[in-house]
Amino acid sequence: MTALNLDQLQQDSLIQTLQQYQPVFWFPPENVPLKQALQHVGLTRADIEDAEARLQRFASFIAQVFPETQKQQGIIESDLVRITQMQQCLSEQWKIPLQGQWWLKKDSHLPISGSIKARGGIYEVLAHAETLALAAGLISLKDDYRKFDSDEFRAFFHNYQIAVGSTGNLGLSIGIMSAKLGFRVSVHMSADARQWKKDKLRALGVHVVEYASDYGVAVDQGRKAAESDPNCFFIDDENSTTLFLGYAVAGRRLKQQLAEKNIRVDVEHPLFVYLPCGVGGGPGGVSFGLKHAFGEHVHCIFAEPTHSPCMLLGVYTGLHDQISVNDIGLDNITAADGLAVGRPSGFVGRAMQGLIDAYYSVADPTLFQLIFKLNQMEQIQLEPSAAAGLRGPYYVATQPQYQQLHHFTPSQLDHATHIIWATGGGMVPQPEMQQYLFKECE
Ligand SMILES: *Cc1c(COP(=O)(O)O)cnc(C)c1O
C-alpha cells in the first residue's frame, strides 16, 4: 500500500472508525507469496536456529540460578492448554458458533518474569553477556555456561551497563536477568508502568527512572542516557532484531508441543494464532518463527487496544513508525499497559507486513470481561493486555471476506486449531489481580 497523507486519512472510513475508538478488523487485501514475504524480512531460519542454540548453551546456567526452570532443564517455555469451557461460554455470549479447538498459550506464566518478554528480553541480555564474555576470553562456546554464575563473572559484568525503556514487562524481564548476571541496569518506565513492577526491580538493585509520559518518551530518554556511556548497552525494543529472534524461537517449540498433543496442522487443519501487539517485536518475532515452522497453514493475527492500534495504523497507512495514534487524535490510554504503545516499531511493520494475516482492535471493557470469564471458566488469571487475543476467533468466524480471501471451506474451519497467545499476568500481585478480575462487575 502506498502511504496516505493526513488529509486523505481524515476521509478514510477505517481511520474514522479508529478515531471513534470503535473496534475494527482489517486484513491486507492481497496475499503475498510466503517465500517472497519471508525473504523480505531480511532474517533467516539460520538466524532463528542460532538463537535456539544460544538459549540451549545458557540452559544450564538458567536452571541453576532460576530453580523454577529446573524441571524444564533451563528452557524458558510455557504450557499450551485447552480452553473448551471458555470457547463454549463465548459462543453463547456472542451468539455465534465458534468452531475448531481453542487452546491458550500460557506465556502469561512463563518462568522468571511471567510474560512474553521472558522470551525476547531475556534472550537479548544473554546474547549481550555472551558477546562480552567471548570477547574477553572468559568463555568459549563449548564451555558449561554455569560459569556465568560466579563472582568472577558478576564482577566483570559490573563494569557494564544495560538500559531499556518499557511500559513494564520488558523492564521486568531485562532487569531481572541483567541483575542476576551482575550488570548495572537502568529501566526507563513510562507512566503506564504498574507500581509493583517498579518496586520489584528496585528491590533487585535496578535503577528505575520514572516518566510522566508514554512509552515512546521513556524509550527516547533511555536511548539518550545510554549514548553518553560507551559501556552502556541500550536494548532497543523498537528496532532490535536480537529481541525479535528471541521471540521467534517460539515457532519450532510450538510445533513440537502440537506434535506431542497429536494436533495436526496442514491444509485441512489450519492454525490460527492471535497475538496481542504493543510495539510489535513480540508478536512479530513469534509470527516469524510460526511462519517458518508451519508455512502457509498458520494465520497470524494481531490484537491491539482501541486506544492504541499503532501497528494496524502503521501498516494500513504504509507510514509505519512515521505515524502515531496521536496523529489521528487517539489518546493511547488503555488499561492494557503492555500494549500502550502509540507508535509501532519501524522494523517490524515493514519487515513483517506480508506475513501478518490480519489485525483487529478491542475495547478495554471487553478485555475486562474476557479476563473475568476466563478466570470463571478456566481458573486462569491474565492481565488485561494478555486477553486481547481471546476476541480473535470471533472475527475469523464472522468475516466472510477474510474466509474467502483464504478460500476456507466449512470443513477446514471445523478442523481448525485456534491458539490464543496469553502474554502476561503470572507475576501480578493478588490484590491487583482481584481488581482486574472484578472490575467488570463494578
Ligand atoms: C510487551 C507485551 C506485549 C506485546 O509485545 P510487543 O513487543 O510490545 O508488541 C503483549 N502483551 C504483554 C502482556 C506485553 O507485556
Side-chain angles (χ1 to χ4, degrees):
M1 170 162 313
T2 49
L4 299 168
N5 67 38
L6 277 174
D7 276 348
Q8 285 169 306
L9 288 184
Q10 302 297 339
Q11 312 299 322
D12 183 282
S13 72
L14 185 133
I15 299 290
Q16 288 169 355
T17 313
L18 292 179
Q19 287 175 320
Q20 289 153 13
Y21 297 108
Q22 293 303 308
V24 300
F25 176 77
W26 178 73
F27 55 93
E30 279 164 42
N31 280 324
V32 184
L34 180 66
K35 201 165 156 215
Q36 185 187 328
L38 281 173
Q39 270 169 3
H40 179 75
V41 176
L43 297 165
T44 63
R45 183 186 297 272
D47 293 320
I48 305 176
E49 285 165 1
D50 176 61
E52 278 169 4
R54 185 162 296 103
L55 288 167
Q56 194 62 57
R57 288 196 289 279
F58 273 102
S60 63
F61 163 75
I62 291 173
Q64 177 155 309
V65 298
F66 297 102
E68 71 267 34
T69 66
Q70 265 167 18
K71 58 179 187 304
Q72 300 183 147
Q73 282 94 42
I75 296 295
I76 304 165
E77 192 45 70
S78 67
D79 290 339
L80 181 68
V81 299
R82 195 70 196 271
I83 48 168
T84 313
Q85 310 275 2
M86 182 67 176
Q87 181 175 359
Q88 276 166 7
C89 163
L90 291 180
S91 177
E92 280 159 33
Q93 191 187 328
W94 295 339
K95 303 188 174 57
I96 49 163
L98 292 167
Q99 297 151 294
Q101 285 193 4
W102 283 31
W103 295 80
L104 193 74
K105 180 64 174 154
K106 287 177 70 183
D107 274 17
S108 47
H109 294 76
L110 276 173
I112 302 178
S113 63
S115 82
I116 189 171
K117 306 296 192 310
R119 297 183 186 276
I122 286 179
Y123 173 69
E124 180 147 9
V125 174
L126 295 176
H128 181 57
E130 185 183 58
T131 304
L132 292 174
L134 284 169
L138 285 171
I139 200 145
S140 83
L141 294 180
K142 297 232 150 35
D143 283 342
D144 184 333
Y145 276 26
R146 274 176 287 192
K147 273 180 134 179
F148 280 85
D149 180 25
S150 64
D151 290 339
E152 183 198 2
F153 274 62
R154 280 183 287 271
F156 170 70
F157 289 127
H158 200 68
N159 299 316
Y160 297 90
Q161 210 185 326
I162 289 183
V164 67
S166 170
T167 63
N169 285 337
L170 184 65
L172 206 56
S173 295
I174 284 172
I176 292 171
M177 186 50 87
S178 305
K180 192 63 100 178
L181 284 158
F183 285 107
R184 288 175 293 131
V185 49
S186 302
V187 175
H188 298 259
M189 288 284 205
S190 68
D192 317 280
R194 311 299 305 166
Q195 189 60 42
W196 67 267
K197 293 180 186 173
K198 302 177 206 170
D199 295 344
K200 182 155 182 83
L201 286 171
R202 288 196 171 114
L204 292 170
V206 172
H207 179 51
V208 177
V209 192
E210 300 181 56
Y211 297 91
S213 27
D214 79 1
Y215 164 86
V217 174
V219 173
D220 283 346
Q221 292 302 319
R223 190 182 279 123
K224 277 207 195 92
E227 273 164 8
S228 58
D229 178 354
N231 278 342
C232 183
F233 179 68
F234 177 68
I235 296 189
D236 188 349
D237 195 19
E238 291 176 328
N239 298 294
S240 168
T241 53
T242 310
L243 268 177
F244 184 85
L245 290 167
Y247 291 115
V249 168
R252 232 176 24 189
R253 298 217 190 129
L254 182 72
K255 188 169 188 171
Q256 192 186 335
Q257 241 172 357
L258 290 177
E260 284 161 8
K261 295 183 190 300
N262 295 314
I263 298 168
R264 285 163 61 183
V265 179
D266 54 31
V267 187
E268 264 310 300
H269 302 81
L271 172 63
F272 295 93
V273 182
Y274 307 96
L275 295 144
C277 176
V279 73
V286 169
S287 297
F288 184 58
L290 291 171
K291 292 283 179 177
H292 269 291
F294 299 101
E296 57 209 2
H297 307 311
V298 65
H299 297 257
C300 299
I301 301 179
F302 282 21
E304 296 177 287
T306 50
H307 285 246
S308 318
C310 67
M311 187 60 74
L312 196 170
L313 182 66
V315 174
Y316 178 73
T317 58
L319 293 170
H320 300 290
D321 58 346
Q322 302 304 304
I323 190 166
S324 93
V325 301
N326 302 127
D327 296 336
I328 60 163
L330 302 187
D331 60 11
N332 188 27
I333 293 176
T334 167
D337 45 348
L339 315 180
V341 177
R343 189 184 296 279
S345 159
F347 155 64
V348 172
R350 286 190 184 86
M352 288 295 295
Q353 55 188 340
L355 295 168
I356 306 167
D357 294 280
Y359 309 74
Y360 65 89
S361 60
V362 45
D364 280 24
T366 309
L367 295 176
F368 284 113
Q369 277 173 24
L370 288 167
I371 57 177
F372 175 79
K373 285 270 186 268
L374 187 73
N375 181 49
Q376 200 178 34
M377 295 293 133
E378 311 281 350
Q379 296 75 52
I380 298 171
Q381 306 185 340
L382 302 182
E383 63 183 88
S385 300
L390 284 161
R391 183 63 172 162
Y394 170 84
Y395 290 108
V396 171
T398 58
Q399 294 277 322
Q401 282 155 333
Y402 183 71
Q403 297 175 3
Q404 280 155 20
L405 178 72
H406 294 282
H407 310 292
F408 290 130
T409 63
S411 143
Q412 283 173 311
L413 292 173
D414 229 18
H415 295 135
T417 301
H418 299 266
I419 295 185
I420 290 131
W421 214 281
T423 45
M427 281 179 55
V428 176
Q430 261 317 307
E432 179 134 344
M433 184 53 82
Q434 293 305 316
Q435 278 175 21
Y436 283 153
L437 291 177
F438 296 102
K439 184 153 186 81
E440 112 97 5
C441 307
E442 276 167 13

